[in-house]
Amino acid sequence: MNARLDHTPAGVFRCALGVSYNGSSYQGWQSQASGLTVQDKLEKALALFTDLPSVTTLCAGRTDAGVHGLMQVVHFDVPLQRETMAWMRGTNRYLPDDIAVQWARDVPTSFHARGSAQSRRYAYVLLESPVRPSVDAGKVGWVFRPMQLEPMQKAAQTLLGEHDFSSFRASQCQAHSPIKHLLRAEVSRRGAYWRFEFEASAFLHHMIRNIMGCLIAIGTGQRPTGWMAEVLEARSRDAAAPTFSPDGLYFLGPTYDAAFGLPDRTPGFDWLP
């Protein structure tokens, strides 16, 4: 890492990493006793590289089992220095092939991967086909019925702004409040693939997957466009569609104040259909 920043306590160095991963083989991000999470694999790799007993990371946003990450951001404190390129190459040496550190940066102790995030971005990639996915199995969601673009676009716009999103909240959600501010909700299509993109101050547990269930019901004509507003207003999980598959969900990453000097996106951000 580069020379210690003046506002970092002597002997303590804070580093931020941008991490990408295929979540298909993992039980989500957050560490579990099984050790089969992305956080577990990353922290084990960091400990091996630094030769420390343990390294504890804090992330920008936890992802569920099967959900992928293109730019998960974490920070950690360690009592040693490394060049930023060394953090990338050294940590990747001990990571499995489906997890990779994309970048590393020195950050002040005032930086917090979760607390400093101004917004978070997700994309859901969906295959519309009478035949299930094969080559991209686990990397896209799937719907076999034809869908219409305009009804889904109109329904998505209903959700913009600050609302109580209780209708889209999992029962095990630990968020203090169901009120979130949805900044962007876009729907587009390229060939047989649909891309849904969302940006918000923060998201509730399963919020996007529950919204996806409703959008697909509308897009396939099973529900009218106005149903989305009714679901939102109901503030009840019972009013919404079933939770949709995690396969096509990607955490695109958080946004931060430019003063921190962190990348806005990471390699692979735009490869999705």
Side-chain angles (χ1 to χ4, degrees):
M1 189 180 286
N2 298 329
R4 182 175 62 84
L5 300 174
D6 290 340
H7 39 310
T8 304
V12 177
F13 304 88
R14 179 160 292 186
C15 183
L17 304 178
V19 184
S20 62
Y21 50 91
N22 181 327
S24 299
S25 301
Y26 301 102
Q27 297 173 347
W29 171 268
Q30 189 173 11
S31 180
Q32 296 184 28
S34 66
L36 299 177
T37 71
V38 182
Q39 183 180 17
D40 289 320
K41 300 298 183 183
L42 177 62
E43 293 184 349
K44 180 179 179 181
L46 286 168
L48 288 169
F49 172 55
T50 59
D51 197 27
L52 293 170
S54 65
V55 176
T56 301
T57 61
L58 288 168
C59 73
R62 292 174 292 185
T63 52
D64 295 333
V67 177
H68 315 296
L70 289 187
M71 197 179 80
Q72 176 68 270
V73 176
V74 306
H75 81 260
F76 57 91
D77 297 332
V78 286
L80 48 80
Q81 292 178 286
R82 292 288 188 273
E83 294 294 330
T84 53
M85 187 59 70
W87 281 115
M88 294 169 54
R89 293 178 176 174
T91 307
N92 284 339
R93 176 185 176 187
Y94 297 102
L95 283 170
D97 292 342
D98 49 8
I99 305 174
V101 175
Q102 299 287 340
W103 52 259
R105 295 288 189 277
D106 294 315
V107 288
T109 53
S110 60
F111 173 81
H112 191 284
R114 184 175 302 137
S116 299
Q118 297 175 327
S119 69
R120 292 160 179 82
R121 301 164 294 184
Y122 281 87
Y124 197 101
V125 181
L126 182 70
L127 172 66
E128 178 191 314
S129 170
V131 179
R132 61 172 173 76
S134 55
V135 174
D136 47 9
K139 298 178 181 178
V140 297
W142 174 50
V143 61
F144 60 87
R145 295 187 178 94
M147 299 200 302
Q148 297 298 315
L149 174 62
E150 187 175 351
M152 290 191 292
Q153 287 179 323
K154 289 183 177 179
Q157 295 304 298
T158 302
L159 303 174
L160 292 178
E162 187 173 82
H163 302 285
D164 182 329
F165 284 95
S166 292
S167 293
F168 308 99
R169 181 182 191 176
S171 60
Q172 63 269 43
C173 181
Q174 299 177 0
H176 295 302
S177 170
I179 298 175
K180 303 299 175 186
H181 190 170
L182 189 65
L183 304 167
R184 187 161 55 92
E186 299 177 357
V187 185
S188 59
R189 181 174 189 172
R190 183 186 297 176
Y193 293 91
W194 293 85
R195 177 168 173 145
F196 302 77
E197 215 163 307
F198 304 92
E199 181 175 1
S201 56
F203 291 89
L204 301 168
H205 192 195
H206 285 176
M207 178 173 162
I208 295 176
R209 291 170 58 191
N210 291 332
I211 289 174
M212 284 299 303
C214 293
L215 287 174
I216 291 169
I218 292 169
T220 55
Q222 298 175 77
R223 295 282 190 171
T225 303
W227 179 61
M228 185 68 84
E230 296 175 12
V231 172
L232 181 65
E233 182 63 27
R235 301 179 183 179
S236 168
R237 180 70 192 93
D238 294 335
T243 305
F244 203 64
S245 165
D247 290 353
L249 185 56
Y250 293 79
F251 182 39
L252 300 183
T255 61
Y256 297 105
D257 190 304
F260 288 121
L262 301 182
D264 181 57
R265 54 185 62 192
T266 200
F269 191 97
D270 293 319
W271 77 267
L272 301 174

